[in-house]
Amino acid sequence: MRIVAGLGRLVPRRRCAAAVGNGQAPQGADPTPDQVKAVYQEICLSYRAIDDFRAKLLSLLPAVSGVGVGVLLGKDPGEPEPLWLPIGLFGTVVTLGLFAYELYGVQKCGGLIAAGRRIEQNWNCVGQFDGRPHALAGLVNEPFAAALVYPAVLAGWMYLVLADWSERGAAIIVVGLFGGLFVSGSSLCVRMHLRDTREREAEAARRHVARPEPGTAP
C-alpha cells in the first residue's frame, strides 16, 4: 500500500524514513508500518502543541489587553493622556504580530490535519483528523474565535491611538474596524468549512467507488 503517495508533499519519503531514527530506508522505497506510525505520532504531537498554544493565547490576549486599556481609560476618562498614543501604538503592533502568527498557525494546523487524515484513511480508521467534527452551524470553530477576539483587541488599542484626535471619531472608526475584520474573518471561516465539506464528500465518494460490491471478488 503506497502511503507515501497519499501523504504527498507534507510527508516526503526521506522524512518518513528519518522519523524512526533506527535506520534509513532505501531511497524510493515505501515506508514501513513502524515508520508511518512514527510520522503519525509526530503529526499528533505537533498539532496538539500548536492548538494548545493558540488556545492559551486566545484566552490571555483579551484579558491582558482589557486590563491595560481599562486602567488607562479609567485614570481620566474625560481627557486623553499623552501616554495613550505610544501605548496604543505598541499594543496595536503587538496584536497585529500575534494575529499574523495566528494566521500561520491556522495554515500549519490545516496541513497537519490533512497529513494525519490521509494516514488514517490509508489505515481505514476514523481518528482525530478524519473524524474531526465540522464547524458548529457551519461557522463556529477555532478560526471563528480568532476572528472575534483579535479584531476586538485591535479595536481597543486603536481607540487609544485615535482618542487624542477625537474620542467620538475614534469610537466610530474602531467600531467600523471591528465590524469589517469580523465579517471578513467570518466569511473566511465559512469558506474553509465549505472546502472541508467538499473534500470529505469527495473522499467518501472515492471510498465508495473503491469498495467492492457484496458478492463480488476483490
Side-chain angles (χ1 to χ4, degrees):
M1 177 172 54
R2 293 188 173 274
I3 298 178
V4 173
L7 297 181
R9 294 180 301 172
L10 291 172
V11 188
R13 289 188 174 92
R14 291 185 179 179
R15 287 179 59 187
C16 288
V20 183
N22 58 357
Q24 295 285 338
Q27 186 174 357
D30 290 339
T32 65
D34 289 339
Q35 291 172 339
V36 176
K37 182 179 179 181
V39 172
Y40 181 76
Q41 291 173 343
E42 288 298 322
I43 291 174
C44 292
L45 290 175
S46 297
Y47 176 78
R48 290 169 186 167
I50 296 174
D51 193 56
D52 182 62
F53 178 78
R54 290 171 59 200
K56 291 179 179 178
L57 190 59
L58 281 177
S59 62
L60 291 176
L61 179 63
V64 174
S65 299
V67 171
V69 174
V71 168
L72 291 174
L73 293 178
K75 285 186 176 181
D76 190 358
E79 183 67 28
E81 298 185 5
L83 285 178
W84 284 18
L85 178 60
I87 294 177
L89 287 174
F90 175 78
T92 299
V93 172
V94 171
T95 303
L96 288 174
L98 293 175
F99 184 56
Y101 186 83
E102 170 69 16
L103 293 177
Y104 175 73
V106 170
Q107 184 181 23
K108 193 171 183 179
C109 279
L112 293 171
I113 291 172
R117 181 182 295 173
R118 292 189 185 102
I119 295 178
E120 291 172 352
Q121 290 169 354
N122 280 290
W123 283 344
N124 196 26
C125 68
V126 179
Q128 64 173 327
F129 299 114
D130 196 30
R132 189 170 180 265
H134 291 284
L136 181 63
L139 179 64
V140 181
N141 52 16
E142 300 96 327
F144 177 82
L148 187 63
V149 170
Y150 281 98
V153 173
L154 187 62
W157 291 117
M158 284 298 297
Y159 178 82
L160 295 180
V161 174
L162 300 173
D164 190 38
W165 162 65
S166 171
E167 291 190 55
R168 182 177 180 182
I172 295 174
I173 290 175
V174 297
V175 169
L177 175 67
F178 170 78
L181 292 176
F182 176 68
V183 170
S184 299
S186 300
S187 63
L188 177 61
C189 292
V190 172
R191 291 196 298 270
M192 292 173 61
H193 169 70
L194 294 177
R195 183 182 62 184
D196 182 67
T197 301
R198 289 193 297 268
E199 290 177 354
R200 293 192 183 198
E201 291 176 349
E203 181 59 33
R206 286 193 293 269
R207 288 184 181 183
H208 179 74
V209 171
R211 186 183 302 117
E213 294 294 334
T216 61

